[in-house]
Amino acid sequence: LVALYRPGPMENIPKFCNVKNGREPRAGIHPLIDPILDETQGIIVYQEQVMEIARKMAGYSLGGADMLRRAMGKKIQAAMDAERPKFLAGAAENGVEEAKAIEVWNLLDKFANYGFNKSHAAAYAVVSYQTAWLKANHPVEFMAAVMNCDLHLTDKLNVYKQEVDRLGIEMVAPCVNRSDAVFSVAEGRILYGLGALKNVGVEAMRLIVAARGTGEFADLVDLARRVELRRVGKRPLELLARAGAFDCLDGNRRKVFESLDALVAFSGSAHDEAASAQISMFGTGGADLPAPRLPMPEDWWPNERLGQEHQAVGFYLSGHPLDDYMGALRRSRVLTLADVTAKAASGPVAVRMAGSVAARQERKSARGTRFAFVQMSDPTGLFEVTVFSDTLDDARDLLEPGQNVVMAVEATLESDQVKLLARSVQPVDQAVAGAAPAGLKVFVNDAAALPSVALRLEDAPGAPARSHGPVNLILVHPDLPGDVEIELPKRYPVTPGVRSAIKHIAGVVYVEEF
């Protein structure tokens, strides 16, 4: 299988299977060489078979057969052409008709394009079988080990993450109180390695893990006292904040991100004082330093939060930017990658599908026009869309990384891979504006949440006018005689992004469409 599943020999796989399973008879080539091909159903698969054919049919010595193998393996056509008369002459001496000798030589010449060494194939097969056994019987440990092999290759980690999801394995997001510097396994789950974030060194993350050895960090200040943050570095700390690795200490990622300068300065002072062994009257060195004052900004919007996470991880871990749009997208008859793949199985289709742009590579065609390959994702998987010049010129600004769009595409299925060609592109909010609900009811059980709700309603970026609607506040509290509903006087954006942003505010119990 290893030797057959390669460009060239692949065309023989149906014949190999049919002969092996008795669905078609095996065709003999010549009595001198048919026994050599018994194990491969009459098909030339291995370089060793070529050498044996040369010896049996054309009288080659072992050394001469190896020279032929070498010429074939290196695809040296001049050397092959030089061997042809020698092969035909040797075959004639063994009583092989010239036509049959030429037929066999042509088979060997064709084999030169894809020859594979049997000993290599056997070694690969053993490793493949062992690998398959490990994946089948220890999938969590196996996938963690595979991800550690490609710790800093974001594209490969993304593919492995898709496979982890497909296998139903839970992956715990990076966390300073749980994660190791590399991927690890706990309670049947994969813990994302801190050192697997983009541009974050494993050794710097080991400083955090080592400091945690005495117990989990209680809060950001405790972490700054115990970890010498300046040795970790400002850039890695920013990426940890973006990825949500400090969520266990403070769930407001923007606050953590904007607090890093103060925390690094505090950490430096604490460790300098401890290193100088100056013991104050209140305790050990550095322990009596007053905690720094940290800023208290509103957290990033959910989509911005995911965008920051994407910058640090290279893909989405805690969710997908389109998650909150799925209801409106379905109402607008916009399909997912999984839907499109299923539809394309019956033939080419023209559909609309949504995606979040991950990357764009532009190329120039032979005619001088520009086109692009756009890498995208939705909650069901990763996909690539080809965008030709006319569409690209109109939509280039929308096809920047981090943008969420809806595309009209032509989809075809080739070798179980969906091929997508874009015909038009529009922002996702514009595409679903007609499917927005009439209004929202926001259930609140803490008055402290109201300023944040107001900010989210007033600060909706780029919401189209037709997505505006009424918003009612439902106050829920034991001190009230019952639920108190307040209809706000203005109309506000009621897009999926706004609903998601409000839903994530502390003190908001529930957001309901009406």
Side-chain angles (χ1 to χ4, degrees), residues 254 299-311:
R254 183 179 175 188
D299 201 356
W300 290 312
W301 279 61
N303 272 6
E304 186 181 2
R305 185 178 166 107
L306 283 172
Q308 297 282 354
E309 180 180 295
H310 192 281
Q311 285 188 44

Side-chain angles (χ1 to χ4, degrees), residues 2 142 254 271 310 498:
V2 168
F142 174 82
R254 183 179 175 188
H271 283 82
H310 192 281
V498 171

Side-chain angles (χ1 to χ4, degrees), residues 301 429 433 436-442 450-473 486-499 501-502 511-514:
W301 279 61
D429 282 319
L440 298 178
K441 290 186 177 182
V442 182
L450 296 177
S452 295
V453 173
L455 183 64
R456 294 293 188 248
L457 290 173
E458 296 284 0
D459 191 34
R466 59 180 175 149
S467 68
H468 286 54
V471 175
N472 293 358
L473 290 177
I486 303 172
E487 183 177 341
L488 301 184
K490 290 169 54 179
R491 295 174 70 85
Y492 295 94
V494 290
T495 64
V498 171
R499 295 201 308 277
I502 294 174
V511 180
E512 180 182 276
E513 300 177 357
F514 70 88

Side-chain angles (χ1 to χ4, degrees), residues 22-154:
R23 291 192 288 265
E24 67 177 76
R26 170 182 163 180
I29 298 176
H30 189 278
L32 282 175
I33 64 174
D34 284 345
I36 299 170
L37 305 179
D38 282 344
E39 66 174 330
T40 55
Q41 314 307 320
I43 299 167
I44 301 174
V45 175
Y46 303 121
Q47 290 179 347
E48 288 88 344
Q49 289 175 320
V50 171
M51 294 172 64
E52 193 66 11
I53 287 170
R55 292 183 63 226
K56 293 289 186 183
M57 179 169 276
Y60 274 61
S61 66
L62 279 172
D66 190 56
M67 292 294 292
L68 176 62
R69 177 203 62 78
R70 191 176 306 172
M72 295 177 67
K74 294 184 177 179
K75 301 177 177 62
I76 306 171
Q77 191 59 46
M80 288 289 294
D81 292 341
E83 291 288 338
R84 187 175 188 271
K86 179 180 176 182
F87 182 91
L88 297 181
E93 290 181 10
N94 283 330
V96 180
E97 295 179 1
E98 184 179 8
K100 178 58 71 173
I102 291 173
E103 176 190 339
V104 173
W105 175 261
N106 288 338
L107 281 174
L108 299 182
D109 193 30
K110 182 181 178 184
F111 179 88
N113 293 324
Y114 53 76
F116 200 72
N117 184 285
K118 181 179 180 181
S119 60
H120 288 187
Y124 278 122
V126 170
V127 174
S128 298
Y129 189 91
Q130 292 171 335
T131 303
W133 186 91
L134 287 169
K135 184 176 180 183
N137 292 279
H138 303 281
V140 182
E141 293 81 359
F142 174 82
M143 291 307 301
V146 167
M147 296 180 87
N148 278 330
C149 287
D150 294 313
L151 194 67
H152 295 299
L153 299 178
T154 302

Side-chain angles (χ1 to χ4, degrees), residues 102 128 353 478 508-510:
I102 291 173
S128 298
M353 63 187 303
V508 173
V509 181
Y510 183 64

Side-chain angles (χ1 to χ4, degrees), residues 213-230:
T214 56
E216 292 188 352
F217 304 114
D219 52 33
L220 294 172
V221 174
D222 181 45
L223 178 130
R225 289 187 194 277
R226 292 161 59 185
V227 180
E228 193 170 355
L229 296 182
R230 62 191 172 190

Side-chain angles (χ1 to χ4, degrees), residues 103-405:
E103 176 190 339
V104 173
W105 175 261
N106 288 338
L107 281 174
L108 299 182
D109 193 30
K110 182 181 178 184
F111 179 88
N113 293 324
Y114 53 76
F116 200 72
N117 184 285
K118 181 179 180 181
S119 60
H120 288 187
Y124 278 122
V126 170
V127 174
S128 298
Y129 189 91
Q130 292 171 335
T131 303
W133 186 91
L134 287 169
K135 184 176 180 183
N137 292 279
H138 303 281
V140 182
E141 293 81 359
F142 174 82
M143 291 307 301
V146 167
M147 296 180 87
N148 278 330
C149 287
D150 294 313
L151 194 67
H152 295 299
L153 299 178
T154 302
D155 290 344
K156 286 194 173 184
L157 292 181
N158 196 357
V159 173
Y160 299 149
K161 172 60 166 58
Q162 298 292 319
E163 180 66 3
V164 165
D165 292 341
R166 189 190 69 81
L167 293 170
I169 298 170
E170 182 182 350
M171 179 172 285
V172 179
C175 172
V176 293
N177 266 343
R178 303 180 67 183
S179 298
D180 288 337
V182 297
F183 290 94
S184 56
V185 172
E187 300 174 348
R189 297 178 291 182
I190 296 176
L191 306 183
Y192 205 92
L194 299 177
L197 301 180
K198 294 169 71 174
N199 302 312
V200 171
V202 172
E203 291 307 316
M205 297 303 101
R206 288 194 170 121
L207 296 174
I208 296 176
V209 175
R212 192 184 68 210
T214 56
E216 292 188 352
F217 304 114
D219 52 33
L220 294 172
V221 174
D222 181 45
L223 178 130
R225 289 187 194 277
R226 292 161 59 185
V227 180
E228 193 170 355
L229 296 182
R230 62 191 172 190
R231 290 183 61 196
V232 175
K234 176 75 178 301
R235 177 65 173 163
L237 289 170
E238 289 178 344
L239 292 165
L240 288 171
R242 286 187 164 114
F246 299 114
D247 285 359
C248 57
L249 308 180
D250 193 315
N252 185 331
R253 295 185 186 179
R254 183 179 175 188
K255 173 190 170 184
V256 175
F257 186 85
E258 295 182 3
S259 299
L260 290 176
D261 283 335
L263 290 169
V264 171
F266 170 79
S267 176
S269 298
H271 283 82
D272 285 346
E273 191 167 320
S276 67
Q278 293 177 347
I279 308 301
S280 75
M281 62 184 294
F282 298 106
T284 59
D288 57 332
L289 284 176
R293 293 177 61 85
L294 304 180
M296 294 295 293
E298 288 283 334
D299 201 356
W300 290 312
W301 279 61
N303 272 6
E304 186 181 2
R305 185 178 166 107
L306 283 172
Q308 297 282 354
E309 180 180 295
H310 192 281
Q311 285 188 44
V313 181
F315 47 91
Y316 299 109
L317 269 179
S318 62
H320 192 278
L322 294 177
D323 285 340
D324 291 303
Y325 285 84
M326 294 312 295
L329 289 169
R330 280 191 291 270
R331 292 194 293 271
S332 301
R333 298 183 180 178
V334 177
L335 305 183
T336 64
L337 172 64
D339 298 331
V340 173
T341 303
K343 276 185 170 290
S346 303
V349 290
V351 296
R352 290 199 305 157
M353 63 187 303
S356 182
V357 179
R360 182 185 80 221
Q361 290 89 40
E362 292 197 21
R363 301 283 188 272
K364 186 176 286 188
S365 71
R367 293 181 298 176
T369 59
R370 298 195 72 81
F371 66 98
F373 298 112
V374 182
Q375 285 73 47
M376 307 187 70
S377 67
D378 71 11
T380 67
L382 310 172
F383 55 96
E384 182 178 82
V385 183
T386 303
V387 185
F388 287 149
S389 58
D390 51 348
T391 306
L392 182 60
D393 290 341
D394 293 336
R396 186 176 272 104
D397 291 344
L398 296 175
L399 297 176
E400 293 292 334
Q403 295 277 21
N404 300 311
V405 298

